[in-house]
Amino acid sequence: MGARDDAAESGVSTRFGSGWISGVFSVALGAIGLGAVLCFHFPSLLTTPSVRGLYPIPYVRALLHLFLVSAFLLGVLSVFLRRGKRLGMSGIALTLIAALLGGSRVPIDGELRNGPFLGLDWFLLNLIAYCAVFVPLEKLFAHDPQQPVFRKHWRTDLAYFFVSGILVQVTTLLTLQPAMVLFSWTARPGIQQWVASQPFVVQFVGILVVADLTQYWVHRAFHAFPRLWRFHQIHHSAEVMDWLAGSRLHLVDVAVTRGLGYVPIYALGFSEAPLFAYVVVVAAQATFIHANVRFDLRPIAWLVATPRFHHWHHAADAAAVDKNFAVHLPVLDKLFGTFHLPRRRWPAVYGLAGAVVVPDGWVRQLFYPFRQR
Ligand SMILES: [Zn+2]
Ligand SMILES: [Zn+2]
């Protein structure tokens, strides 16, 4: 797949009219279309049971049709405009494979089972939604306007985004099971009933505070203990900050942080609706604070974590090391003495300070923490 950094390196134009934009859209729409067709073919294996029932199938088919036709036409356009045909031909090829597999008329195969599954549909939905929101946002309100969408190491971070969607069943289990199995003794029915009887908004704010407080200390422990830092340094190995960079998290980091974060929420007995709302908000905010977006929200910068606040957490500056641990509430960092937000300034360099070089690539980064002495 063509990327702007590769294109720029090889001296190939990515300008409007060069066939690059049409080629990228052709490949993206073709790949999403092919993924959707595969979901229709193997619904039990590739779709998320809790989401399955919510799909308005006729609209999904219409959208799929639109995606595949657009992918094909844009592929043809790119081939006409561009000297290098690889992008356009890849988009056309993906569309043709999707069409051969049934295209938008693909029948839904087999009976639906509730067993182990891969969340391919969850990945595709997230990819479409987050791209639709964050790519224009980063174009319109960029902190660094020179930073391209396909920046250094985007493939690695997209791989993290892909795996977190595909493995949604595994990570949900790893989040919920340990609390239920190991901490059931902490549950006090009286307290749980009282918590669950509170209004939605009160419970939502309660979850947010409790979750960020736990997350703060778990995150701080990941920085403080070398055995844990091995895993968390993967997140800090990102040298470029944008919405996708936040996905770069080692599976051990994800399991421990979320698993421990869920314990007090489980013990206190919050109800399902505010908990679900929180899960959506935390995913959005965790993405937002990594984004290449200059929103500062200065009057409430101590209350709501912003990109500038979390970008300092990723700064290579010595003064910014082990600062800004909160995901939602910077006031926690003020409270515990780890707040660092120089006036109007942004970090100059991101990533790991010193001589540490984490290898690039999802697989290499998966094994890297276990190899270190
Ligand atoms: Zn960190
Ligand atoms: Zn981060």
Side-chain angles (χ1 to χ4, degrees):
M1 205 195 312
R4 187 171 285 183
D5 52 348
D6 306 337
E9 269 164 32
S10 55
V12 183
S13 175
T14 60
R15 267 184 315 104
F16 183 80
S18 69
W20 185 82
I21 297 172
S22 51
V24 166
F25 269 95
S26 172
V27 169
L29 294 175
I32 291 172
L34 178 58
V37 170
L38 289 174
C39 286
F40 275 101
H41 269 297
F42 308 103
S44 294
L45 186 68
L46 298 179
T47 68
T48 311
S50 53
V51 188
R52 261 177 223 159
L54 304 174
Y55 288 122
I57 296 296
Y59 291 101
V60 174
R61 286 188 190 279
L63 197 66
L64 176 54
H65 189 71
L66 186 72
F67 271 40
L68 291 176
V69 171
S70 309
F72 185 79
L73 294 176
L74 288 166
V76 172
L77 180 67
S78 175
V79 167
F80 266 109
L81 289 172
R82 201 169 173 76
R83 195 140 26 101
K85 310 294 182 199
R86 214 158 50 116
L87 260 184
M89 292 307 283
S90 306
I92 293 172
L94 286 165
T95 318
L96 289 179
I97 296 169
L100 285 173
L101 289 171
S104 60
R105 292 195 187 165
V106 54
I108 300 177
D109 288 352
E111 243 176 71
L112 286 170
R113 286 177 289 100
N114 280 343
F117 68 93
L118 296 171
L120 181 59
D121 61 337
W122 188 241
F123 160 70
L124 294 174
L125 285 175
N126 276 292
L127 184 67
I128 294 169
Y130 279 97
C131 282
V133 172
F134 283 103
V135 174
L137 213 59
E138 291 188 342
K139 283 285 151 210
L140 292 172
F141 306 101
H143 154 59
D144 175 7
Q146 303 301 320
Q147 187 173 299
V149 174
F150 295 100
R151 40 65 175 180
K152 193 181 178 189
H153 299 160
W154 67 274
R155 289 183 184 82
T156 298
D157 292 340
L158 184 64
Y160 278 97
F161 193 82
F162 175 73
V163 171
S164 77
I166 285 286
L167 294 186
V168 63
Q169 186 181 31
V170 178
T171 49
T172 309
L173 267 176
L174 285 176
T175 306
L176 306 182
Q177 276 318 101
M180 291 179 181
V181 173
L182 301 171
F183 294 90
S184 53
W185 55 271
T186 57
R188 295 283 172 276
I191 297 174
Q192 290 190 328
Q193 270 165 18
W194 181 79
V195 170
S197 67
Q198 300 305 311
F200 179 92
V201 179
V202 175
Q203 287 197 58
F204 177 81
V205 174
I207 295 169
L208 197 134
V209 172
V210 169
D212 211 21
L213 196 58
T214 323
Q215 186 280 138
Y216 176 94
W217 285 106
V218 174
H219 189 179
R220 206 163 155 175
F222 264 102
H223 278 245
F225 298 106
R227 273 169 189 276
L228 290 174
W229 173 248
R230 283 182 199 175
F231 296 99
H232 187 60
Q233 68 176 344
I234 301 294
H235 183 64
H236 283 269
S237 69
E239 290 165 28
V240 185
M241 293 292 280
D242 66 3
W243 67 276
L244 192 57
S247 308
R248 184 187 288 230
L249 282 165
H250 195 278
L251 282 176
V252 171
D253 193 344
V254 174
V256 173
T257 304
R258 287 207 215 151
L260 287 174
Y262 184 63
V263 170
I265 292 169
Y266 165 76
L268 288 168
F270 289 100
S271 1
E272 220 167 89
L275 192 55
F276 180 76
Y278 175 73
V279 169
V280 174
V281 167
V282 69
Q285 185 154 19
T287 308
F288 173 67
I289 59 178
H290 292 91
N292 174 27
V293 164
R294 59 173 184 262
F295 297 150
D296 212 9
L297 312 174
R298 203 159 329 125
I300 49 165
W302 57 275
L303 184 67
V304 180
T306 56
R308 200 164 73 88
F309 171 80
H310 192 69
H311 278 222
W312 277 108
H313 181 67
H314 282 264
D317 298 41
V321 170
D322 298 342
K323 298 286 192 301
N324 299 5
F325 292 106
V327 167
H328 302 289
L329 306 166
V331 70
L332 294 178
D333 283 286
K334 285 224 163 177
L335 199 63
F336 301 125
T338 49
F339 186 81
H340 181 77
L341 197 61
R343 246 179 177 271
R344 288 172 213 270
R345 276 179 44 226
W346 288 74
V349 183
Y350 299 108
L352 296 161
V356 189
V357 181
V358 171
D360 188 32
W362 188 88
V363 176
R364 262 172 283 179
Q365 292 184 359
L366 178 68
F367 293 110
Y368 180 70
F370 300 103
R371 288 219 189 96
Q372 278 190 308
R373 275 199 288 141

